[in-house]
């Protein structure tokens, strides 16, 4: 880590006299430190904003009779042009019994495939999609719910569905703050993106 004194420290932890440090290296060090300090300041401001926003929404929720379903809560400005929401994500995790459930449900689909053809093939594809985990290790909630909603007169299928229901547990995921606005009541809400990548300076239009 370099210092602004007579002795600088390089990336190997060695001392380097300031007179040996090139002008570009000094300018580069100043630029990096300036941006680094700005990023830390912005991060602190965002953390303070989030803490205040969550407290404000929590206080507002206390005024209402009860919080929204499963921890979700939203509020609009009096003119209905601004909206703030707190959304609670939920994940369904399945234990090792899903392998047996998949086996039993595919058994039914494969038997039907031998008899019915294309319709059962589509069902087998849906089963495979429902048991495909994402990068976080979760099964697709919607696909699993769709399978469990089917009424099937088959012992193998129903056994697999029962195992699948028993294997699932619900876990609380991340909470998200959403701030949206619209120009008029005829417009859809658009989110105010609190994303630094979305704040890249726009090129100025060249006027003739």
């Amino acid at each position: 880590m370099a210092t602004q004194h007579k002795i600088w420290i390089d990336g190997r932890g060695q001392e380097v006299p300031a007179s040996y440090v090139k002008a570009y290296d000094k300018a580069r060090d100043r630029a990096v430190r300036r941006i680094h300090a700005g990023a830390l300041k912005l991060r602190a401001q965002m953390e303070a904003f989030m803490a205040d926003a969550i407290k404000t929404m929590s206080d507002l929720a206390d005024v209402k009779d009860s919080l929204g379903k499963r921890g979700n809560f939203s509020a609009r400005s009096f003119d209905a042009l601004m909206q703030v929401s707190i959304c609670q994500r939920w994940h369904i995790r399945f234990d090792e019994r899903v392998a047996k459930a998949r086996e039993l449900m595919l058994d039914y689909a494969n038997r039907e495939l031998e008899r019915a053809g294309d319709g059962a093939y589509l069902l087998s594809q849906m089963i495979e999609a429902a048991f495909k985990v994402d990068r976080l290790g979760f099964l697709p909630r919607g696909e699993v719910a769709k399978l469990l909603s089917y009424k099937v007169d088959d012992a193998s299928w129903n056994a697999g569905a029962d195992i699948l229901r028993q294997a699932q547990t619900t876990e609380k995921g991340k909470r998200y703050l959403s701030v949206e606005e619209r120009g008029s009541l005829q417009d859809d809400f658009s989110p105010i993106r609190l994303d630094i990548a979305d704040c890249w300076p726009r090129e100025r239009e060249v006027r003739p």
Side-chain angles (χ1 to χ4, degrees), residues 67-72 88-91 141 170-172:
L67 191 64
K69 183 180 179 182
R70 297 177 71 82
N72 295 329
Q88 175 67 63
R89 293 287 178 86
W90 294 87
H91 300 293
R141 183 176 180 179
T170 303
E171 295 182 356
K172 188 180 255 188

Side-chain angles (χ1 to χ4, degrees), residues 20-35:
Y20 285 23
V21 180
K22 296 179 181 179
Y24 172 75
D25 291 334
K26 292 180 179 179
R28 181 186 63 186
D29 185 78
R30 286 193 301 270
V32 171
R33 290 179 183 278
R34 175 187 177 87
I35 296 172

Side-chain angles (χ1 to χ4, degrees), residues 27-69:
R28 181 186 63 186
D29 185 78
R30 286 193 301 270
V32 171
R33 290 179 183 278
R34 175 187 177 87
I35 296 172
H36 175 264
L40 289 179
K41 182 178 180 181
L42 179 59
R43 172 70 187 194
Q45 291 174 339
M46 291 180 69
E47 289 178 353
F49 163 74
M50 285 296 294
D52 178 70
I54 292 172
K55 182 180 184 306
T56 301
M57 290 295 283
S58 296
D59 292 344
L60 180 62
D62 290 338
V63 176
K64 194 177 179 182
D65 293 337
S66 62
L67 191 64
K69 183 180 179 182

Side-chain angles (χ1 to χ4, degrees), residues 25-207:
D25 291 334
K26 292 180 179 179
R28 181 186 63 186
D29 185 78
R30 286 193 301 270
V32 171
R33 290 179 183 278
R34 175 187 177 87
I35 296 172
H36 175 264
L40 289 179
K41 182 178 180 181
L42 179 59
R43 172 70 187 194
Q45 291 174 339
M46 291 180 69
E47 289 178 353
F49 163 74
M50 285 296 294
D52 178 70
I54 292 172
K55 182 180 184 306
T56 301
M57 290 295 283
S58 296
D59 292 344
L60 180 62
D62 290 338
V63 176
K64 194 177 179 182
D65 293 337
S66 62
L67 191 64
K69 183 180 179 182
R70 297 177 71 82
N72 295 329
F73 183 68
S74 64
R76 290 185 180 180
S77 58
F78 193 70
D79 60 9
L81 298 180
M82 292 169 278
Q83 178 171 274
V84 179
S85 306
I86 290 183
C87 301
Q88 175 67 63
R89 293 287 178 86
W90 294 87
H91 300 293
I92 296 180
R93 187 179 291 278
F94 295 84
D95 61 31
E96 66 282 353
R97 287 175 288 182
V98 297
K100 184 61 178 178
R102 174 180 175 275
E103 176 187 332
L104 291 170
M105 298 173 95
L106 276 176
D107 173 65
Y108 166 74
N110 290 332
R111 281 188 282 111
E112 289 296 305
L113 184 59
E114 294 178 358
R115 297 187 304 176
D118 294 342
Y121 176 75
L122 177 60
L123 177 60
S124 67
Q125 294 297 104
M126 293 173 62
I127 294 172
E128 292 290 3
F131 285 93
K132 185 176 182 180
V133 298
D134 62 16
R135 61 185 181 85
L136 298 177
F138 295 105
L139 294 182
R141 183 176 180 179
E143 297 296 330
V144 172
K146 189 184 298 181
L147 285 185
L148 293 178
S149 69
Y150 293 153
K151 303 297 182 183
V152 179
D153 185 16
D154 182 82
S156 179
W157 175 276
N158 291 323
D162 287 341
I163 292 174
L164 190 57
R165 291 187 184 94
Q166 296 169 18
Q168 67 181 18
T169 55
T170 303
E171 295 182 356
K172 188 180 255 188
K174 290 184 177 181
R175 297 178 74 198
Y176 293 90
L177 174 72
S178 173
V179 184
E180 301 171 290
E181 62 181 359
R182 59 183 176 180
S184 73
L185 299 179
Q186 299 300 318
D187 298 328
D188 294 328
F189 279 105
S190 298
I192 297 176
R193 295 186 59 183
L194 303 178
D195 180 359
I196 193 169
D198 192 50
C199 299
W200 195 267
R202 298 176 181 174
E203 295 183 5
R204 294 182 178 178
E205 296 181 359
V206 180
R207 297 182 179 179

